[in-house]
């Protein structure tokens, strides 16, 4: 499993675009990049997944450069309700162990 | 409704008293897993199961047991709980083997907050 590194915490303001970058230098050819969101006392929830270039859904965008050694989760126009912990995971479709790590604690200010 | 359920949601117990936390999913998922979450340590995997009768250790398996006799159920057993097992526990399931848009998308239960005195 590729190790991931992401900032421990970030602050931003309502209405801003927030970008959280995750480093995964040892990503393997068959690895996908997946991001989860977790609110206090709730289980994590899947946000977005990608393999290369850019993926966008109704919640976020995921940017992956050509070398795939990092990825950036982009949250457009955040609100207070986006305050949560965001986890970056790297792994293959048939992985057994799953490593969430400590995530990035995002705090949105009014 | 597709969901993962856990019971109980809250439990206070004493050291050494065996307990079981149940986990059930109705999505026909092959993969199920247990995690514990502690302040400052993130989410750590305890045990996982790739399918019925197939279980294996995660990163923090000491003091826990699991079983997977049926596809939908994956109970977590603490034979002799200790205070250092006080934590928030999550069960999750996913299906890496069926055709789907998102690989290994984990679906989480609501959590069980366990306190061992």
């Amino acid at each position: 499993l590729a190790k991931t590194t992401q900032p421990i915490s970030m602050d931003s303001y309502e209405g801003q675009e927030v970008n959280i970058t995750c480093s995964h230098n040892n990503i393997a050819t068959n690895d996908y990049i997946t991001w989860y969101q977790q609110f206090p006392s709730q289980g994590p929830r899947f946000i977005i997944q990608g393999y290369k270039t850019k993926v966008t859904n109704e919640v976020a965008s995921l940017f992956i450069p050509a070398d795939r050694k990092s990825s950036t989760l982009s949250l457009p126009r955040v609100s207070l309700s986006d305050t949560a912990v965001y986890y970056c995971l790297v792994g293959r479709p048939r992985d057994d162990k799953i490593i969430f790590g400590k995530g990035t604690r995002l705090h949105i200010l009014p | 409704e597709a969901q993962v359920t856990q019971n109980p949601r809250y439990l206070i117990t004493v050291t050494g008293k065996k307990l079981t936390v149940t986990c059930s999913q109705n999505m026909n998922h092959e993969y199920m897993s247990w995690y514990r979450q502690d302040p400052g340590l993130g989410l750590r995997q305890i045990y996982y199961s790739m399918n019925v009768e197939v279980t294996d250790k995660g990163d923090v398996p000491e003091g826990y047991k699991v079983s997977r006799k049926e596809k939908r159920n994956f109970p977590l057993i603490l034979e002799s709980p200790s205070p250092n097992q006080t934590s928030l526990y999550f069960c999750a399931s996913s299906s890496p083997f069926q055709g789907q848009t998102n690989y290994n998308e984990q679906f989480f239960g609501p959590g069980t907050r366990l306190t061992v005195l």
Side-chain angles (χ1 to χ4, degrees):
Chain A
L1 290 169
K3 178 179 167 58
T4 60
T5 303
Q6 47 184 129
I8 294 174
S9 66
M10 292 178 65
D11 289 340
S12 188
Y13 291 92
E14 277 194 295
Q16 299 292 308
E17 178 184 77
V18 171
N19 295 311
I20 306 175
T21 297
C22 178
S23 172
H24 28 80
N25 290 318
N26 296 323
I27 190 168
T29 302
N30 296 330
D31 285 344
Y32 279 74
I33 300 156
T34 308
W35 285 80
Y36 286 82
Q37 175 191 56
Q38 185 182 26
F39 297 116
S41 298
Q42 294 185 26
R45 183 183 68 159
F46 174 94
I47 301 177
I48 198 166
Q49 185 179 77
Y51 182 79
K52 61 181 179 180
T53 62
K54 177 183 174 182
V55 179
T56 297
N57 62 23
E58 64 277 6
V59 176
S61 294
L62 178 59
F63 298 93
I64 306 168
D67 66 5
R68 304 203 324 125
K69 292 184 183 300
S70 67
S71 58
T72 299
L73 174 72
S74 182
L75 304 173
R77 298 183 59 79
V78 294
S79 65
L80 295 176
S81 63
D82 292 313
T83 292
V85 178
Y86 293 82
Y87 297 93
C88 166
L89 282 70
V90 172
R92 286 158 289 181
R94 295 173 74 90
D95 265 343
D96 44 16
K97 276 192 177 183
I98 294 177
I99 298 176
F100 271 81
K102 299 180 182 179
T104 297
R105 189 171 297 275
L106 176 64
H107 187 204
I108 305 302
L109 303 165
Chain B
E1 179 192 355
Q3 61 181 349
V4 178
T5 57
Q6 295 178 226
N7 282 292
R9 294 288 313 279
Y10 303 90
L11 179 60
I12 301 175
T13 188
V14 295
T15 298
K17 185 177 181 182
K18 180 179 178 180
L19 67 92
T20 298
V21 184
T22 65
C23 174
S24 182
Q25 51 94 4
N26 62 1
M27 295 169 279
N28 201 36
H29 284 165
E30 290 87 357
Y31 186 96
M32 296 187 74
S33 180
W34 277 103
Y35 299 86
R36 63 176 289 173
Q37 186 164 40
D38 305 288
L41 297 179
L43 210 61
R44 295 180 292 167
Q45 194 174 40
I46 303 171
Y47 268 95
Y48 60 90
S49 169
M50 300 290 278
N51 215 323
V52 175
E53 301 292 359
V54 181
T55 64
D56 210 341
K57 297 177 181 178
D59 288 329
V60 288
E62 293 76 21
Y64 304 94
K65 284 176 56 177
V66 292
S67 69
R68 187 90 183 274
K69 294 183 170 50
E70 308 164 279
K71 198 172 188 179
R72 63 184 293 126
N73 296 323
F74 190 45
L76 179 69
I77 303 156
L78 284 71
E79 295 268 3
S80 182
S82 63
N84 65 11
Q85 292 178 298
T86 292
S87 187
L88 179 58
Y89 291 87
F90 290 102
C91 178
S93 73
S94 69
S95 183
F97 307 121
Q98 295 176 359
Q100 59 184 50
T101 304
N102 302 309
Y103 290 107
N104 279 2
E105 178 181 346
Q106 299 274 302
F107 292 85
F108 281 80
T112 295
R113 190 169 292 280
L114 172 65
T115 301
V116 183
L117 302 174

